[in-house]
Each structure stands twice: as structure tokens, then as C-alpha cells.
Amino acid sequence: MEFLPTSLPGVLLIQPKIHRDERGFFIETYHEARYLESGIPTRFVQDNQSSSVQGTLRGLHAQLKHPQAKLVRCIEGEILDVAVDIRQGSPSFSKWFAARLSAENARQMYVPVGFVHGFLVLSERAQVEYKCSDIYVPNDQLTLRWNDPDIGIDWGRKDPILSEKDRSAKSLIELKEFLPNF
């Protein structure tokens, strides 16, 4: 397993070893000791899975009182996975990182606490699994506008399919008083 640093401190890409043969493949998707050794000190308490059609954008989400680190992987199809640093005072505040995660490349992205997370479905359909370091609390969620010009994420798409919650998301400036400090 390779743990690859990204342009955002704390955000990691994980490339597991894929063992392929005539029967198919085998991948170790999580090994607590290896993750700890590689700088992921997170204990995960909840697993989630979503299924979405092409063009769906889910995000950008975080929780405030129950912040969640996430370990994300795509088990069917392909997504553009995005993390944005929302820690006020951080040298990388408002910076973003994106990576393609797919069933084929088996990559994972670790998104630590203090970042919002979202993804865009690139394939006809995608299933995404992610581990969370805290439970989901519906009234604790912060939703950042996917196309906030002050962040400037290049999604490669201008008209994604959005939930009502994501359509009514706020900009970074509008959320500033709620954001964590670094």
C-alpha cells in the first residue's frame, strides 16, 4: 500500500496493491496499523455507501460539532473526489485538491477533519464507500457552495445534478463565522 501526500497537508491518496489473476482481483482496503504508521490516526466509527448517476455532485460537506475525517473509495465507476481546507488560519485555507477515484484504480482519499468533501460522478453510475471518524448528525452539517468563485474548483462540468441542500449551499464568505480555526 502506498500513502501519497497531496498539495493539501493531511489529505492523502492511498494506492492499495491490487492482486489480479484469471479469477479477478483482491485488494486489502483497510489495515488499521498501516494507516496509523502512515499518518492517519483516525478511528472510524461509521461506514456509508452512495450510488449516483453520471453528473451528480454530492458536496461540499463537513460537520462542525461532530467533525468527520473520511476515507473515501469508489467501488463502481469513477468520480472526481475533492477536499477543500476550511480551517481559518491554515496556510492552505480555501485551497482544494482533487483526484480521480475509480473501481479500476482502487485509490482511496483520506480527508482529515477541517476539510469539506464532495465528489462528482464521471461514469454512467458510481458507488462510493467512505468511512467516517464520527457519526452523521443531520443538524450539524455545513454545506459549502460547489462553485464558490473564491475557491475555484475545476469540476470539469458546469451543470451538475444537485440535491436541494447542495443547491442552497453558502459561500465560504457567508460561512466564515462558523469555520474551525487552525
Side-chain angles (χ1 to χ4, degrees), residues 15 47 83:
Q15 181 64 62
D47 283 1

Side-chain angles (χ1 to χ4, degrees), residues 3 17-18 21 40 46 62 72 74-75 82-83 86 96 106 125 131-132 139 144 152 168:
F3 293 83
K17 289 183 183 170
I18 305 171
D21 63 22
I40 299 176
Q46 181 176 323
V72 184
C74 184
I75 60 170
V82 175
I86 59 165
W96 59 276
R125 175 169 294 288
K131 295 182 167 303
C132 298
N139 296 334
L144 177 62
S168 60

Side-chain angles (χ1 to χ4, degrees), residues 50-141:
S50 70
S51 178
S52 306
V53 298
Q54 187 173 38
T56 297
L57 193 153
R58 293 183 183 263
L60 299 159
H61 305 143
Q63 290 189 161
L64 298 171
K65 294 178 183 161
H66 299 271
Q68 296 175 312
K70 295 177 181 173
L71 182 61
V72 184
R73 70 189 193 109
C74 184
I75 60 170
E76 175 190 355
E78 183 177 27
I79 63 170
L80 181 68
D81 204 39
V82 175
V84 180
D85 188 347
I86 59 165
R87 301 169 299 160
Q88 295 187 88
S90 165
S92 58
F93 177 73
S94 79
K95 303 291 186 229
W96 59 276
F97 174 79
R100 286 178 179 248
L101 307 182
S102 69
E104 186 64 28
N105 69 24
R107 278 187 166 170
Q108 300 172 348
M109 188 156 82
Y110 174 71
V111 181
V113 167
F115 291 75
V116 289
H117 170 260
F119 63 87
L120 173 69
V121 177
L122 303 173
S123 55
E124 187 175 316
R125 175 169 294 288
Q127 287 194 56
V128 177
E129 281 188 345
Y130 53 100
K131 295 182 167 303
C132 298
S133 64
D134 203 343
I135 60 169
Y136 173 66
V137 179
N139 296 334
D140 190 32
Q141 194 163 76

Side-chain angles (χ1 to χ4, degrees), residues 140-156:
D140 190 32
Q141 194 163 76
L142 173 143
T143 305
L144 177 62
R145 187 177 304 148
W146 69 277
N147 61 350
D148 185 332
D150 290 330
I151 299 170
I153 298 168
D154 181 6
W155 293 98

